[in-house]
């Protein structure tokens, strides 16, 4: 617990730096949100009052301090464009992203861990080579290209599944699932590829250890050697990668969301960047970074459960 | 006496160098040949093209592959083969330069941090970690909007987004090298810090860096396409594979080849780079040496 607390405290300087980076970068993009907001009816008086209303008339350091102060009190501000509170808008979008990312992630783990283990067990034989080849192939098919292929095969040639849009499974369960099948499939292959290769590499190393030879010499069945002796030891190093993948998945699905027209978090940020909607970009990017760091902290905390040699201090 | 006789024998049985070993792996050989072909085609496109890749021809819109247009035409009637050839050059150039930029910047930062240690290291790494925590593709998107669209914009944006990864890797390698005796020896002999860094530390990071660069190159090729999907890649009318794939998306039901052709090209190139990267890892990373 104390470990977690100290880790969280250590995150604060990084988060301040990230927030300053985000704040600065988004303002370096040419284009004035007040002008974009006013559109055609542009006159100096309206512009000045719009800028004042948005808080853009103040000095930049002051704007930053105001923002940090309100973030610290749990208020991410309101969108320039819609006037909606950023926090509630982003949680709505995050739920959509979760519904795509979590199933893809779980399926990838369920497929990749056994596949990597089996490949390591048959190291250098044809079964290993085909698994590796399949994984490398998956790694080489960009998810958006996979998405387009799926749309073509299942949505256009055969009209079996919807090719875009989002229906909440909470509203209409079956329709919701049908809308999620293609995006999840498009995401899952790359994840399977990365995890399989990772699991295989660490399982190969574990299988060469003396305690595996010892277990075999004792007459432990191969099944037990693989799943009780190899798996737990090979899993721990994969855990870090799993954390990194989950963290980046939660923020990095903007392209898939664009292709499938999903109102997810990634697309939300991209649209806000184009609209120079500073509060949305700042708040959402900061949220994404917190999620990323949070997932990785969680992995750090879980690590000793799987690898008792590691003690948190 | 004995040693004199043994010398030429030992030389003939020397262990093959890294690159020689790579050529012996069939998948790596095929990948290298494939990539060389793509590069040659891209270079030859500067000399000869079957059609003008930018010429609009409204009468010949979205034609299926045929004798006069081997790969068909796009929405504006432009010849797809010519655009693919020019696009190969654009995509490879953008990916290559962004990796080079990221490598140079990342190596500088990583070497400095790893070699100097202390506060230099700590403050540089805080910045590096902060950038790494941000989603790369969104960071690249924002950077591109600041720098401006175009090939240079993509290169700078992707390069800046990837540099922290390089810096982390280089720093790790440098930390392990710093403790070696030959560094101490050079410092005892009066070598200055820049001299030691440039002559002794940097050359030793080449192995891990080569492996990282091959995976970064694949990522850059991917990100260039991803940026096009988000609406900011190499700007039209200039063709890049990613841009062509993103453009073809709207016509996937009427003219699927507009997506299929650039998509397949990207996939095959990525496959070749990834297979080559695996071979490089086998040869440079002794921990996972599978081919002996």
């Amino acid at each position: 617990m104390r470990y977690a607390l100290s880790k969280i405290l250590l995150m604060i300087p990084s988060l301040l730096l990230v927030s300053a980076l985000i704040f600065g970068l988004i303002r370096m993009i040419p284009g004035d949100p007040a002008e974009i907001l006013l559109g055609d009816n542009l006159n100096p008086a309206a512009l000045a009052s719009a800028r004042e209303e948005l808080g853009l008339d103040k000095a930049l350091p002051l704007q930053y301090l105001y923002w940090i102060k309100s973030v610290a009190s749990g208020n991410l501000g309101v969108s320039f464009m819609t006037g909606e509170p950023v926090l509630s808008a982003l949680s709505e979008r995050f739920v959509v992203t979760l519904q795509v990312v979590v199933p893809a992630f779980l399926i990838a783990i369920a497929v990749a861990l056994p596949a990597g283990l089996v490949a390591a067990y048959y190291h250098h034989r044809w079964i290993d080579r085909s698994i590796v080849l399949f994984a490398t192939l998956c790694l080489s098919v960009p998810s958006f290209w996979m998405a387009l292929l799926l749309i073509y095969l299942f949505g256009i040639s055969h009209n079996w599944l919807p090719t875009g849009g989002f229906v909440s499974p909470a509203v209409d369960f079956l329709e919701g699932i049908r809308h999620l099948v293609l995006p999840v499939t498009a995401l899952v292959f790359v994840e399977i590829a990365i995890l399989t290769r990772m699991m295989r590499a660490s399982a190969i190393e574990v299988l060469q250890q003396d305690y595996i030879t010892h277990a075999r010499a004792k007459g432990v069945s191969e099944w037990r050697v693989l799943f009780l002796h190899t798996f737990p030891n090979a899993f721990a190093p994969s855990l870090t990668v799993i954390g990194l993948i989950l963290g980046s998945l939660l923020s990095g699905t903007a392209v898939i969301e664009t292709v499938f027209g999903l109102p997810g978090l990634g697309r939300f940020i991209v649209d806000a960047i184009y609209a120079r909607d500073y509060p949305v970009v700042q708040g959402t990017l900061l949220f994404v970074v917190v999620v990323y760091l949070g997932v990785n902290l969680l992995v750090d905390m879980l690590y000793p459960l799987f690898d008792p040699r590691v003690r948190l201090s | 006496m004995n040693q004199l006789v043994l010398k030429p024998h030992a030389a003939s049985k020397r262990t093959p160098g890294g690159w020689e070993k790579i050529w012996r792996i069939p998948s790596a050989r095929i990948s290298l040949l494939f990539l060389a072909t793509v590069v040659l085609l891209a270079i030859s496109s500067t000399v000869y093209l079957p059609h003008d890749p930018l010429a609009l021809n409204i009468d010949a819109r979205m034609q299926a592959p045929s004798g006069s247009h081997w790969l068909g035409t796009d929405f504006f009637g432009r010849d797809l083969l010519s655009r693919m050839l020019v696009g190969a050059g654009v995509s490879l150039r953008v990916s290559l330069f962004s990796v080079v930029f990221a490598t140079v910047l990342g190596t500088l930062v990583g070497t400095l941090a790893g070699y100097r240690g202390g506060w230099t290291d700590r403050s540089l790494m805080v910045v590096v970690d902060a950038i790494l925590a941000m989603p790369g593709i969104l960071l690249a998107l924002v950077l591109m909007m600041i720098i401006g669209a175009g090939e240079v914009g993509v290169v700078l944006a992707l390069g800046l987004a990837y540099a922290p990864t390089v810096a982390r890797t280089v720093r790790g390698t440098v930390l392990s090298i710093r403790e070696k005796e030959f560094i101490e020896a050079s410092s005892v002999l009066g070598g200055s810090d820049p001299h030691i860094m440039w002559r002794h530390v940097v050359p030793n990071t080449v192995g891990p860096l080569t492996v990282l660069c091959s995976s970064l190159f694949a990522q850059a090729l991917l990100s260039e396409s991803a940026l096009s999907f988000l609406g900011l890649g190499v700007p039209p009318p200039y063709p890049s594979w990613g841009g062509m794939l993103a453009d073809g998306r709207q016509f996937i039901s009427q003219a699927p080849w507009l997506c299929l052709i650039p998509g397949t090209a990207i996939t095959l190139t990525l496959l070749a780079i990834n297979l080559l990267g695996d071979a490089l890892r086998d040869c440079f990373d002794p921990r996972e040496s599978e081919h002996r």
Side-chain angles (χ1 to χ4, degrees):
Chain A
M1 211 51 232
R2 274 188 53 200
Y3 175 79
L5 221 65
S6 70
K7 274 280 186 181
I8 289 170
L9 285 177
L10 275 175
M11 261 190 214
I12 291 175
S14 337
L15 280 177
L16 279 175
L17 187 69
V18 169
S19 69
L21 266 176
I22 297 170
F23 181 91
L25 282 175
I26 176 77
R27 277 170 178 72
M28 278 163 75
I29 301 177
D32 183 344
E35 276 179 34
I36 294 174
L37 200 59
L38 288 175
D40 290 335
N41 93 74
L42 209 59
N43 65 66
L47 199 61
S49 77
R51 290 177 60 86
E52 198 188 328
E53 203 180 311
L54 299 177
L56 293 172
D57 54 335
K58 302 195 178 58
L60 278 183
L62 213 57
Q63 288 184 37
Y64 176 70
L65 285 180
Y66 277 136
W67 176 52
I68 288 300
K69 213 180 120 198
S70 76
V71 169
S73 63
N75 178 8
L76 292 181
V78 295
S79 159
F80 281 173
M81 299 298 142
T82 62
E84 214 183 337
V86 173
L87 192 62
S88 73
L90 87 84
S91 9
E92 232 168 75
R93 303 303 195 99
F94 188 53
V95 171
V96 176
T97 297
L98 276 181
Q99 285 171 23
V100 182
V101 166
V102 172
F105 180 69
L106 293 179
I107 294 171
I109 287 188
V111 175
L113 297 188
L117 207 58
V118 168
Y121 187 76
Y122 292 103
H123 193 190
H124 282 328
R125 300 223 228 126
W126 67 268
I127 191 161
D128 172 38
R129 288 192 198 284
S130 13
I131 289 177
V132 170
L133 189 69
F134 176 72
T136 313
L137 191 66
C138 287
L139 197 66
S140 309
V141 181
S143 55
F144 46 86
W145 167 229
M146 178 64 87
L148 289 179
L149 281 176
L150 290 171
I151 287 178
Y152 183 67
L153 286 178
F154 294 100
I156 294 169
S157 290
H158 294 287
N159 213 6
W160 285 337
L161 288 162
T163 59
F166 178 75
V167 173
S168 170
V171 176
D172 181 344
F173 186 73
L174 210 63
E175 251 333 276
I177 299 294
R178 273 167 51 84
H179 277 82
L180 287 176
V181 173
L182 292 187
V184 168
T185 315
L187 271 183
V188 90
F189 283 98
V190 180
E191 313 312 326
I192 289 180
I194 300 173
L195 279 172
T196 304
R197 289 159 58 101
M198 180 71 213
M199 188 65 191
R200 173 178 171 274
S202 58
I204 286 174
E205 224 164 276
V206 171
L207 280 167
Q208 288 164 353
Q209 302 294 319
D210 290 341
Y211 55 80
I212 298 294
T213 319
H214 179 235
R216 281 179 172 151
K218 275 199 313 187
V220 174
S221 74
E222 286 298 287
W223 183 259
R224 284 179 68 97
V225 165
L226 203 54
F227 284 92
L228 292 181
H229 296 257
T230 310
F231 178 73
N233 290 297
F235 180 66
S238 310
L239 199 61
T240 315
V241 177
I242 290 177
L244 289 174
I245 288 178
L246 185 60
S248 61
L249 264 181
L250 290 175
S251 63
T253 53
V255 181
I256 286 291
E257 287 167 9
T258 305
V259 175
F260 287 106
L262 292 172
L265 200 61
R267 191 63 225 177
F268 188 50
I269 305 179
V270 172
D271 289 339
I273 293 175
Y274 279 120
R276 312 288 187 278
D277 197 336
Y278 296 162
V280 173
V281 179
Q282 288 168 184
T284 317
L285 270 179
L286 195 64
F287 172 78
V288 163
V289 171
V290 170
V291 169
Y292 180 86
L293 294 176
V295 168
N296 286 301
L297 174 65
L298 199 68
V299 166
D300 269 2
M301 309 263 306
L302 287 176
Y303 210 102
L305 283 182
F306 295 96
D307 190 349
R309 284 169 299 185
V310 179
R311 284 269 161 260
L312 303 176
S313 49
Chain B
M1 191 47 193
N2 235 347
Q3 271 178 337
L4 272 175
V5 180
L6 273 174
K7 236 179 181 175
H9 179 67
S12 71
K13 272 189 85 181
R14 74 193 167 83
T15 46
W19 293 102
E20 244 173 286
K21 264 198 268 175
I22 285 166
W23 188 249
R24 288 188 188 170
I25 303 170
S27 63
R29 205 180 316 153
I30 296 169
S31 306
L32 273 173
L33 289 176
F34 176 81
L35 291 175
T37 314
V38 176
V39 171
L40 280 180
L41 283 174
I43 293 172
S44 71
S45 75
T46 57
V47 185
Y48 171 78
L49 281 173
H51 294 270
D52 180 350
L54 303 182
L56 309 181
N57 184 355
I58 304 300
D59 295 331
R61 281 168 46 166
M62 296 208 277
Q63 287 180 355
S66 66
S68 59
H69 297 283
W70 286 6
L71 298 181
T73 60
D74 72 0
F75 180 69
F76 298 103
R78 297 175 295 199
D79 179 52
L80 206 65
L81 177 61
S82 307
R83 289 180 68 75
M84 283 298 294
L85 291 173
V86 174
V90 174
S91 294
L92 292 182
R93 199 160 58 223
V94 163
S95 311
L96 181 70
F97 284 135
S98 46
V99 173
V100 169
F101 179 47
T103 308
V104 171
L105 190 63
T107 306
L108 277 176
V109 173
T111 315
L112 197 66
Y115 187 73
R116 297 296 285 278
W119 278 106
T120 322
D121 182 28
R122 244 165 284 165
S123 38
L124 282 174
M125 281 306 117
V126 167
V127 178
V128 162
D129 286 344
I131 301 175
L132 278 179
M134 280 193 258
I137 190 75
L138 296 178
L139 182 64
L141 184 74
V142 170
L143 287 172
M144 261 203 82
M145 291 177 81
I146 297 172
I147 303 163
E151 272 186 48
V152 179
V154 184
V155 167
L156 292 180
L158 291 181
L160 283 172
Y162 292 150
T165 317
V166 179
R168 267 238 160 265
T169 310
V170 170
R171 174 181 170 272
T173 319
V174 169
L175 279 182
S176 71
I177 295 170
R178 204 178 56 169
E179 306 302 323
K180 298 266 167 70
E181 284 87 353
F182 63 88
I183 299 294
E184 212 176 318
S186 178
S187 141
V188 167
L189 287 172
S192 63
D193 275 3
H195 169 83
I196 296 176
M197 277 201 250
W198 182 244
R199 291 301 301 258
H200 300 293
V201 178
V202 171
N204 280 294
T205 60
V206 168
L209 258 187
T210 315
V211 176
L212 180 66
C213 283
S214 74
S215 94
L216 279 185
F217 190 88
Q219 271 189 52
L221 198 65
L222 264 176
S223 301
E224 184 265 317
S225 325
L227 282 174
S228 302
F229 268 86
L230 297 179
L232 259 191
V234 176
Y238 296 98
S240 75
W241 286 356
M244 293 170 71
L245 181 57
D247 291 342
R249 177 161 75 98
Q250 301 153 315
F251 313 109
I252 190 161
S253 53
Q254 305 109 290
W257 64 90
L258 291 182
C259 281
L260 282 171
I261 291 164
T264 310
I266 295 175
T267 301
L268 287 179
T269 310
L270 284 175
L271 187 62
I273 298 169
N274 285 328
L275 287 173
L276 195 61
D278 285 351
L280 284 171
R281 185 170 30 245
D282 289 346
C283 296
F284 281 117
D285 186 359
R287 284 207 327 148
E288 220 209 316
S289 72
E290 295 173 32
H291 303 267
R292 268 161 296 196

